[in-house]
Each structure stands twice: as C-alpha cells, then as structure tokens.
Amino acid sequence: MKKFLLLCLFSFVGISAFAQGFANETVNGGGKSSSNYSSAPVKFQGYVNASALASTARLGGLWGYGVGPGIDVSAGIMLFDHFYIGAEAGFQAMFEKYQKTDIVYGTTVVIDIESISMNIPVGLNLKGYITRDKRVNPFINCSVGALFAGNEDFSDFGFGGMLGQAGIGVEWKRLSVGVGYNMMLPRLGSIHHGGYLKIGFRFGKN
C-alpha cells in the first residue's frame, strides 16, 4: 500500500510540473485560448462512474477470481482546472469462482465453488488533468480508501480491508472513459490484484 501511495504522489507531482509549464507556455505565447472552462481557482466538481471489475479472490485457502459491475460517486473540488480531490463512495457486486481439488474414492475431483461478494468502498479520489482546453483531455486517476464487504445477503457485513486504484483515462466534454489497476489488501490474507474499466460523467461548473 505504501508503494501504491508513493506512485500516486509522484504521478501528481509530474502532472503538476507539466500542467504548470503548459499553462505558462500558453499565456506567454500570446495565442488565443479555446478553453470553455472558468478561470476560478477552486470549483465544485463531481463524478459518477459505472465500472466493470476483475480481480483475483481468495476463500479460505482457495484462490480464484472475481468479476462484476460497480458504481461510484465522487464529490469534491477542482483546483486551477487541473487537479481534483474529492470524497468517494460506491458499490460493487463481485461474482467469485474457486476450484477445489479433492480425492473421492481414489479419484481426483475438481469442485467449483461460487460465491457473491457485496462491497462498499469509501475513500479519497484524486485526478490530475494534463490538459483541459483540448477536444479530448487525458488524465490520471487515483483512489485509496477502506472496503466494507459482505456476502449476497449482507449477513456478515463488516470491514474488509483497504482498496486502491490507479489508472489513466480521457475526457470528452463531460464524458470520460478510463482503465487501470485495482488492488485490495484484505483484513486477513494476501493482496488481490485486478483491473477496471470505467465510463463516467462529470458534473459541476466548467
């Protein structure tokens, strides 16, 4: 988790330097800006994202995989048109499958075990935009927080561990698409690795 946070920090420092240099070049160049964005240094912004998730999974001593849909909502502030920080919450339904090998009457049998995990991630979302005045604007995305999880009827719902995401995307007007790495550090057990695909909508003042 420490390496993940350092990666996010270094990425945003790099974006900061690039964006500042790009802004200075635009201003000093004397060219006309085609930006439709407000010059206010701080603005309310938010995002709604629908996602497809895939990850390794673990049930007891068995390893498997999980896939499923998710949705998350983030609300916060945009700083100087390039940097976003906000609180984020969401919901994920992961359909998990495991395989167990057993010996039955001297014959090796592979048993499929299926389960459904309901997850509620809560945390901090950061975005850094490389440009904001182009037709298509690339950005980096980073989220870190806690994961509350339970089975399909939420009978054992509780703290499930820590969650982290890091990825890249592009935004056209208010619509965005992004891909990235998804990591979960369970309360007990090993790190789960996976990925995500997100399609989102940005709301708030331009």
Side-chain angles (χ1 to χ4, degrees), residues 142-163:
C142 179
S143 294
V144 62
L147 186 71
F148 298 89
N151 57 23
E152 54 190 302
D153 61 1
F154 290 97
S155 59
D156 62 346
F157 185 76
F159 176 69
M162 303 300 292
L163 179 71

Side-chain angles (χ1 to χ4, degrees), residues 1 7 20 23 44 62 74 76 110-111 124 130-131 184-185:
M1 183 62 73
L7 175 63
Q20 185 63 43
F44 170 77
L62 302 177
S74 176
V110 177
I111 303 172
L124 184 69
I130 298 175
T131 62
M184 187 180 76
L185 179 61

Side-chain angles (χ1 to χ4, degrees), residues 4-14 142:
F4 179 84
L5 292 175
L6 287 174
L7 175 63
C8 289
L9 177 61
F10 290 145
S11 297
F12 275 89
V13 169
C142 179

Side-chain angles (χ1 to χ4, degrees), residues 115-136:
S115 67
I116 301 176
S117 175
M118 302 295 187
N119 304 326
I120 297 180
V122 178
L124 184 69
N125 178 230
L126 304 172
K127 281 186 174 64
Y129 286 84
I130 298 175
T131 62
R132 290 305 302 276
D133 59 352
K134 304 298 182 183
R135 191 175 185 85
V136 176

Side-chain angles (χ1 to χ4, degrees), residues 39-120:
S39 61
V42 180
K43 296 175 291 186
F44 170 77
Q45 295 277 271
Y47 299 84
V48 178
N49 299 297
S51 58
L53 305 163
S55 176
T56 59
R58 190 173 186 181
L59 179 65
L62 302 177
W63 280 99
Y65 65 89
V67 295
I71 185 170
D72 58 79
V73 179
S74 176
I77 56 173
M78 182 73 73
L79 302 173
F80 303 103
D81 277 337
H82 285 278
F83 312 103
Y84 170 80
I85 179 170
E88 183 178 59
F91 176 78
Q92 304 169 353
M94 298 297 290
F95 299 87
E96 300 168 351
K97 185 175 183 178
Y98 309 86
Q99 286 190 336
K100 178 181 179 181
T101 303
D102 206 350
I103 305 296
V104 180
Y105 299 112
T107 303
T108 301
V109 177
V110 177
I111 303 172
D112 290 333
I113 301 175
E114 298 180 351
S115 67
I116 301 176
S117 175
M118 302 295 187
N119 304 326
I120 297 180

Side-chain angles (χ1 to χ4, degrees), residues 177-202:
V177 60
V179 295
Y181 168 69
N182 190 69
M183 176 190 71
M184 187 180 76
L185 179 61
R187 183 172 55 89
L188 299 173
S190 304
I191 296 177
H192 296 184
H193 302 278
Y196 70 81
L197 168 66
K198 290 189 178 186
I199 298 176
F201 175 79
R202 177 175 55 84

